[in-house]
């Protein structure tokens, strides 16, 4: 059964298979990673994660690019986002700072701010308030 994968994870799945996409997301979700043109050796992160054959396919497609890997945890991506939003909301009720919430959930502070804005009904226009 193919899962609904977000953005570049769907592209990775097309090139190297869903398992490769999920492994990369599990290892580097929420991070920016560099895909080499030619992964060297079994100890390279990409080869270690997905194997030499899949790594070669990914290098052919994404080689020389730095890519933001989306967070993805089992199930559908939308369900994952809802679960994160619920967890942020629960911790927000405990009067934790965005840094504390991000640390507890393994997220970026920016993600916490976006979810807080949505929950509080404020538009997320990428602009902070000066006042």
């Amino acid at each position: 059964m193919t899962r609904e994968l977000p953005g570049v994870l769907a592209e990775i799945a097309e090139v190297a298979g869903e398992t490769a996409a999920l492994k990369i997301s599990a290892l580097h979700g929420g991070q920016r990673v560099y895909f080499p043109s030619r992964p060297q050796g079994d100890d390279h992160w990409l080869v270690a994660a997905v194997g030499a054959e899949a790594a070669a396919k990914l290098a052919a497609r994404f080689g020389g690019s730095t890519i933001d890997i989306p967070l993805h945890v089992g199930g559908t991506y939308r369900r994952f986002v809802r679960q994160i939003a619920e967890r942020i909301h629960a911790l927000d009720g405990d009067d934790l700072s965005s840094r504390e919430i991000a640390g507890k959930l393994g997220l970026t502070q920016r993600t916490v701010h976006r979810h807080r804005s949505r929950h509080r009904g404020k538009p997320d226009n990428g602009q902070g308030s000066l006042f």
Side-chain angles (χ1 to χ4, degrees):
M1 178 175 130
T2 301
R3 301 171 195 213
E4 182 181 333
L5 297 174
V8 74
L9 290 182
E11 292 181 56
I12 290 170
E14 287 176 22
V15 172
E18 183 179 354
T19 300
L22 293 174
K23 284 182 179 179
I24 289 171
S25 179
L27 290 171
H28 296 288
Q31 300 174 13
R32 181 172 288 166
V33 296
Y34 177 76
F35 282 76
S37 297
R38 294 183 194 154
Q40 300 294 319
D42 292 341
D43 59 337
H44 188 277
W45 77 266
L46 186 57
V47 176
V50 300
E53 184 178 335
K57 290 178 184 177
L58 291 168
R61 168 63 177 85
F62 299 106
S65 300
T66 300
I67 298 173
D68 292 316
I69 303 298
L71 292 170
H72 179 77
V73 176
T76 66
Y77 183 69
R78 286 187 188 123
R79 185 176 343 143
F80 172 68
V81 171
R82 278 194 310 269
Q83 290 170 347
I84 288 297
E86 290 168 3
R87 293 176 74 190
I88 289 170
H89 176 63
L91 291 171
D92 196 25
D94 292 340
D95 292 327
L96 297 176
S97 70
S98 61
R99 180 183 295 260
E100 291 169 320
I101 293 171
K104 284 183 178 282
L105 300 179
L107 302 171
T108 65
Q109 279 184 269
R110 184 175 186 280
T111 298
V112 173
H113 289 287
R114 273 197 332 265
H115 282 282
R116 278 179 163 172
S117 292
R118 286 182 193 141
H119 179 75
R120 294 174 181 170
K122 297 177 186 173
D124 180 24
N125 60 9
Q127 298 287 319
S129 174
L130 292 176
F131 306 100

